[in-house]
Amino acid sequence: MTESSAQIRPFRVEIAEAAIQDLKARIANTRWPEQLPGAEWERGVPVSYLKELAAYWGNEFDWRAAEERLNQHAQYLTEIDGQTIHFFHVRSPEPNATPLVLLHGWPGSVVEFLNVIGPLSDPRAHGLDPDQAFHLVIPSMAGFGFSTPLSDSGWGSMRNAKAFTQLMSMLGYEKYGVQGGDYGAFVAPDMGRVAPDRVIGVHVNAATFGFIPLGPVSDDDLADMTATERERIARLGHWTAEQDGYFKIQATRPQTVGYGLADSPTGQLAWIVEKFKEWTNSTKALPEDAVSRDEILADVSVYWFTGTATSSANMYYESTHGGEWPVPSNVPTGVAAFAEDVSIRRYAEEGHNIVHWSDFEVGGHFAALETPDLLVGDIREFFAALG
């Protein structure tokens, strides 16, 4: 780190034992609703499934093991624009490694990247070409996880992008790439807009706004689409009709929903695990068939122990009330579109300089957890082509 980073301080995840015992007691004292009639999952998370998963969380899940995994990597806290920002900083052993920012979304966290840190930062140790290695900077979004609850309003995509651009300057990186999924796929392109002379390339997955049609698709456009594109239009329509309740609530009343999320770990678990069911490979019967149960619970636990369920939900409010409309970007951009994604190239090209596009027949929203090898390979391929 440079002299300008003197305000950066080391950090370790150390959740108090009392907080762990409080979690266990709250799970044990859950007041359960009745199961509604109908097919499983069609009206939400089934009671029988959540009871079993919550019991596992309270009685068998090992938070200390998850904590140890997080603490294997160097972590830091700093203050930027009045907000505490948490981040991993993993230096590659390869001398010519490219600096790369990895950005999570909701309901993700830095837990998402634990399976890709090694292959990206130390490819030689993972049987990959060491010529394509990365120094990794992995921040928790403002108001998420160890970045602590929000200090004030206005923390939308652009403000996060400006903060992380400043972070890279503090760390002494002049040129770097950015990769992001979900909300990270908002912030990553915005980092390119903030510092187009410094961001060498932007890679996204689980991309939506800016990579999908903004309104109804005409019959002429549909007729001109590939089968994959028509499937994505249909999936987007299904999401709008059946799956965007969480979005509307968090985009309009994050404070109200926050009471239940902050007070009930079982409520927080249901709120997040539903997304692991709906946004991972649709052929899987249960969320843990796509992403391991312990990884899901590690992610949920980060939200719970940091008390950031409400401030992370507020990201949706800021995104829909901020009045920011992104300008087109000339930064080279690559897209990894997994099987459950909805991004379509023709719409992405309207606002981005698309130079790389990969369509995958498997995987979904949580690619770094569900299909880490495919995501790592696509990131490496994209940045290798940039020279």
Side-chain angles (χ1 to χ4, degrees):
M1 294 186 188
T2 65
E3 291 182 5
S4 66
S5 64
Q7 64 270 48
I8 294 174
R9 57 195 187 275
F11 172 79
R12 283 178 58 84
V13 181
E14 295 176 325
I15 301 301
E17 184 61 29
I20 297 174
Q21 295 307 315
D22 175 68
L23 168 63
K24 293 176 181 289
R26 286 171 179 266
I27 292 172
N29 290 323
T30 298
R31 182 182 179 188
W32 293 98
E34 294 298 319
Q35 176 62 52
L36 292 172
E40 283 199 341
W41 294 96
E42 84 175 355
R43 301 174 196 226
V45 183
V47 175
S48 60
Y49 171 76
L50 200 67
K51 278 186 175 181
E52 196 274 328
L53 184 61
Y56 179 88
W57 191 17
N59 300 321
E60 299 180 54
F61 173 70
D62 187 352
W63 166 254
R64 293 302 184 200
E67 194 174 71
E68 184 177 350
R69 278 195 80 195
L70 290 165
N71 287 332
Q72 287 175 357
H73 306 289
Q75 298 173 72
Y76 303 89
L77 297 178
T78 192
E79 306 296 322
I80 300 177
D81 193 13
Q83 174 68 35
T84 297
I85 298 295
H86 162 265
F87 62 97
F88 287 133
H89 187 198
V90 182
R91 294 278 300 180
S92 172
E94 302 298 334
N96 297 319
T98 300
L100 178 65
V101 183
L102 298 179
L103 300 172
H104 68 82
W106 184 92
S109 67
V110 293
V111 169
E112 281 190 66
F113 298 113
L114 292 178
N115 294 332
V116 303
I117 288 175
L120 288 173
S121 66
D122 192 5
R124 189 187 302 270
H126 292 79
L128 301 173
D129 183 355
D131 287 341
Q132 195 64 34
F134 301 93
H135 300 306
L136 300 177
V137 177
I138 310 174
S140 296
M141 289 286 177
F144 283 68
F146 305 107
S147 283
T148 73
L150 291 168
S151 57
D152 63 356
S153 61
W155 279 96
S157 176
M158 184 57 73
R159 192 168 176 185
N160 272 279
K162 291 176 179 177
F164 299 148
T165 300
Q166 182 176 338
L167 175 62
M168 294 303 281
S169 293
M170 294 167 67
L171 295 175
Y173 292 124
E174 294 300 320
K175 298 282 187 178
Y176 51 87
V178 189
Q179 198 285 328
D182 185 78
Y183 191 51
F186 285 62
V187 180
D190 276 347
M191 288 185 70
R193 295 181 178 100
V194 170
D197 57 331
R198 299 178 62 191
V199 175
I200 62 172
V202 170
H203 183 278
V204 298
N205 66 289
T208 54
F209 179 75
F211 297 83
I212 58 174
L214 290 180
V217 176
S218 70
D219 290 340
D220 288 344
D221 279 352
L222 276 175
D224 188 45
M225 287 183 176
T226 66
T228 297
E229 290 174 329
R230 287 194 291 271
E231 287 173 5
R232 289 179 185 162
I233 292 294
R235 189 176 302 116
L236 183 60
H238 176 70
W239 178 85
T240 302
E242 293 287 340
Q243 297 182 341
D244 74 336
Y246 78 95
F247 183 99
K248 290 179 178 177
I249 291 172
Q250 295 190 154
T252 58
R253 298 296 184 268
Q255 187 69 64
T256 302
V257 73
Y259 294 106
L261 300 179
D263 188 58
S264 169
T266 304
Q268 177 71 97
L269 177 62
W271 197 242
I272 291 180
V273 79
E274 179 182 83
K275 302 310 160 200
F276 276 92
K277 172 65 169 70
E278 293 180 342
W279 295 349
T280 54
N281 194 317
S282 58
T283 64
K284 306 295 186 182
L286 295 174
E288 57 262 43
D289 295 333
V291 175
S292 79
R293 178 173 283 196
D294 283 354
E295 287 172 323
I296 293 172
L297 292 175
D299 181 65
V300 177
S301 296
V302 167
Y303 281 86
W304 177 259
F305 288 132
T306 59
T308 53
T310 308
S311 62
S312 62
N314 187 66
M315 172 269 291
Y316 286 84
Y317 187 94
E318 298 290 357
S319 296
T320 56
H321 291 78
E324 297 174 344
W325 194 261
V327 298
S329 172
N330 290 320
V331 174
T333 300
V335 177
F338 291 88
E340 302 301 319
D341 288 340
V342 293
S343 51
I344 295 175
R345 183 163 187 162
R346 68 183 69 198
Y347 301 110
E349 288 176 339
E350 293 175 359
H352 304 87
N353 177 20
I354 303 297
V355 300
H356 171 94
W357 190 283
S358 298
D359 290 315
F360 295 99
E361 296 181 355
V362 297
H365 180 279
F366 302 97
L369 287 170
E370 188 178 2
T371 51
D373 291 348
L374 292 179
L375 182 63
V376 166
D378 205 66
I379 292 171
R380 287 167 54 83
E381 180 182 344
F382 169 67
F383 283 103
L386 297 181

